[in-house]
Amino acid sequence: MLETEPDLSIFSRIDFTNGAVAAVSGGSDSTALLLLIKDHLDRSAPATKLLAVTIDHNLRPGSAAEAQAVARLCAARGIAHRILVWSGRKPSTGLPAAAREARYRLLAEAAQAEGIGLILTGHTADDQAETVLMRHARQEGPREAGRGLAGMAPATLYDWRIWIARPLLGTRRAALREVLRRANVGWAEDPTNDDEAFERPRIRAALAGDNGAQRVADAVALAARAAVEREQLGHRAAALIRGFASRPADGLIRLDPGFATAGDEPAAVYALRILLATVGGVAFLPDQARSEALLDRLRAAPFCATLSRTVVDARRAGIFLRRETRNLPPAAPAVDDALWDGRRRITLGDELGAFLIAPLGAARAAKREIAEDGTPPSLVRAALAAEPALWRSSGSLGESLSPVQDSPALPRMAACPVVAPFARFLPSFDLAPAGTVAALIGAPLLPATPFSGHTAG
């Protein structure tokens, strides 16, 4: 049911222990969010650190003035505020997506600078309905419907570090504007919200017509049902991964042959897609239909195939997944906090000296001692060949250091595995499979969710 008045109890279910960043554009939704958070914290935890951040995308002449208006509102109400500008060249295509990426990056940088692990945005039920209808219009097949139609998650983990919470997804925009009117606070209107050259404004205009309120309610209800189905599917996929997957060596995943015949095909396909993307270092899950065909072939092993940069080698000893050796990154200077090949987060610590990072390579992998645990040594060496290693940059790649994730000589350097399809954005719908795969590959644990008693619904 959609709220005609904001449900203020939602803020009591958010963990504000380490403060919060409120993303405030100056529009009605985010401005109302700021006032509601401030009121809640004043009553319940006045010492909590609250920082309002306005991102000036530098796309319109009036954007700087709108940011300054937010600054004045914050100053009048005793709220810390920062303006961050998206500078540099803007893309000629895909501008909304690029602006979204820049916005979250800048918000995360502001949060990290303050030691805050929570960002709140003012997304509403109207935004949720628009998102669901946009994804429905793009839908290419019914098998993908559950994931896309879940819409925006109530919380999303950004960069595996900072939570983005959306506490107003059950509230209509009109209710938030009424909050502002009662407080005698104005808001800015972004003209791009009415520019029907973009997809979202076209959907928004359609929802403003006859029967718009019912269409919004129906879309939000559809999102809620799809979210529950997606979370349930994720739990089943996680159970299959826990039951059938192991990691014999770095970069190598083994699935017991029983994985392909476990009896829950939708969950098996979903688990397989996540594992393929993770092993291959690909940000997007592989195609649903191709993954279904692959699972079908796994029931008639042995065979070898490649999907999402991952070699799938099915044998009597098991189903093995490893990164293919084509198109690996060339040798390049090691950069702190860089994501290498979509699979490893590089941490240099305070080590001095210049290093290159490059794949270990087949020749050096062949010299490694392989533990006798039943895993075919050739597969272990093939996986190790694609793993990152540090090389001294003073000369050619003649002198290799140990793989950075376990080098005794460089204890403050590390190459932590990442769950590639969820490394940048992890919707709370997908916590179960993401956490299970993280444990499997040795990735960092997930931080606690910002909502107490959180579920997808």
Side-chain angles (χ1 to χ4, degrees):
M1 181 176 178
L2 300 185
E3 299 291 339
T4 55
E5 287 286 336
D7 177 13
L8 301 183
S9 68
I10 187 67
F11 295 108
S12 66
R13 299 195 292 273
I14 298 176
D15 182 5
F16 287 104
T17 302
N18 295 317
V21 165
V24 187
S25 66
S28 60
D29 305 345
S30 60
T31 302
L33 171 72
L34 180 64
L35 298 189
L36 293 171
I37 296 171
K38 182 68 164 72
D39 180 64
H40 169 77
L41 294 179
D42 284 348
R43 288 183 287 104
S44 62
T48 298
K49 182 186 295 186
L50 174 62
L51 172 66
V53 175
T54 302
I55 306 300
D56 178 2
H57 294 89
N58 202 21
L59 296 173
R60 297 181 289 104
S63 62
E66 291 166 7
Q68 289 298 329
V70 177
R72 291 191 294 272
L73 173 66
C74 290
R77 294 178 179 260
I79 302 170
H81 179 254
R82 288 184 63 189
I83 298 173
L84 300 177
V85 180
W86 181 28
S87 56
R89 179 178 295 181
K90 307 301 188 291
S92 57
T93 60
L95 184 58
R100 174 177 176 268
E101 173 63 31
R103 179 164 61 252
Y104 284 128
R105 175 178 56 79
L106 291 170
L107 288 168
E109 289 173 0
Q112 284 188 287
E114 297 292 332
I116 294 172
L118 175 64
I119 298 167
L120 291 101
T121 69
H123 292 103
T124 66
D126 300 71
D127 296 311
Q128 183 74 302
E130 293 160 10
T131 298
V132 170
L133 293 174
M134 286 163 56
R135 292 181 181 177
H136 188 271
R138 298 179 201 147
Q139 200 65 59
E140 296 181 358
R143 290 171 177 155
E144 283 280 33
R147 283 184 54 78
L149 297 185
M152 291 180 284
T156 296
L157 185 62
Y158 176 80
D159 216 19
W160 211 261
R161 304 175 189 182
I162 295 178
W163 282 105
I164 301 166
R166 305 177 181 93
L168 302 178
L169 284 180
T171 305
R172 292 296 307 270
R173 179 170 293 121
L176 296 176
R177 292 187 171 185
E178 186 57 33
V179 168
L180 296 179
R181 292 188 186 99
R182 289 199 296 262
N184 197 29
V185 172
W187 63 85
E189 294 284 4
D190 184 347
T192 60
N193 287 336
D194 299 320
D195 185 353
E196 295 191 18
F198 297 105
E199 182 182 20
R200 187 174 290 274
R202 292 197 298 272
I203 295 291
R204 185 169 297 159
L207 288 174
D210 293 341
N211 205 32
Q214 186 60 51
R215 292 186 65 194
V216 169
D218 290 345
V220 171
L222 173 60
R225 293 193 300 273
V228 172
E229 293 172 2
R230 177 167 166 178
E231 184 169 337
Q232 291 172 344
L233 179 65
H235 278 287
R236 286 154 38 213
L240 288 176
I241 294 168
R242 287 193 299 271
F244 292 98
S246 60
R247 179 169 60 105
D250 286 335
L252 184 65
I253 299 297
R254 177 188 179 274
L255 293 173
D256 186 89
F259 172 84
T261 56
D264 187 349
E265 181 165 332
V269 171
Y270 188 34
L272 184 60
R273 295 173 74 196
I274 295 172
L275 290 172
L276 289 169
T278 299
V279 172
V282 178
F284 298 98
L285 299 183
D287 176 74
Q288 173 82 12
R290 294 183 68 187
S291 301
E292 290 174 352
L294 177 60
L295 180 67
D296 190 54
R297 290 188 66 189
L298 289 177
R299 300 187 181 106
F303 80 98
C304 192
T306 302
L307 182 58
S308 285
R309 305 199 313 184
T310 296
V311 176
V312 182
D313 194 331
R315 339 180 146 195
R316 211 175 292 178
I319 302 163
F320 295 91
L321 311 179
R322 63 175 174 83
R323 169 71 161 93
E324 67 173 333
T325 54
R326 293 188 308 160
N327 302 317
L328 287 166
V335 177
D336 189 45
D337 202 37
L339 189 60
W340 185 84
D341 195 39
R343 298 183 290 139
R344 299 287 187 274
R345 178 77 61 185
I346 306 301
T347 303
L348 297 181
D350 57 359
E351 292 293 339
L352 300 176
F355 301 99
L356 295 177
I357 188 167
L360 181 65
R364 293 196 177 271
K367 299 178 182 179
R368 294 295 176 92
E369 291 186 10
I370 305 300
E372 296 184 6
D373 61 357
T375 305
S378 61
L379 291 181
V380 175
R381 291 192 173 95
L384 289 176
E387 288 296 282
L390 286 175
W391 309 75
R392 298 193 188 280
S393 61
S394 56
S396 65
L397 298 187
E399 184 177 1
S400 166
L401 303 177
S402 300
V404 289
Q405 62 264 42
D406 60 4
S407 169
L410 300 165
R412 285 176 292 279
M413 291 190 175
C416 290
V418 301
V419 185
F422 301 126
R424 197 62 163 169
F425 293 99
L426 169 57
S428 51
F429 309 133
D430 301 312
L431 290 179
T436 300
V437 173
L440 174 67
I441 66 175
L445 297 176
L446 291 168
T449 59
F451 290 110
S452 61
H454 170 75
T455 66

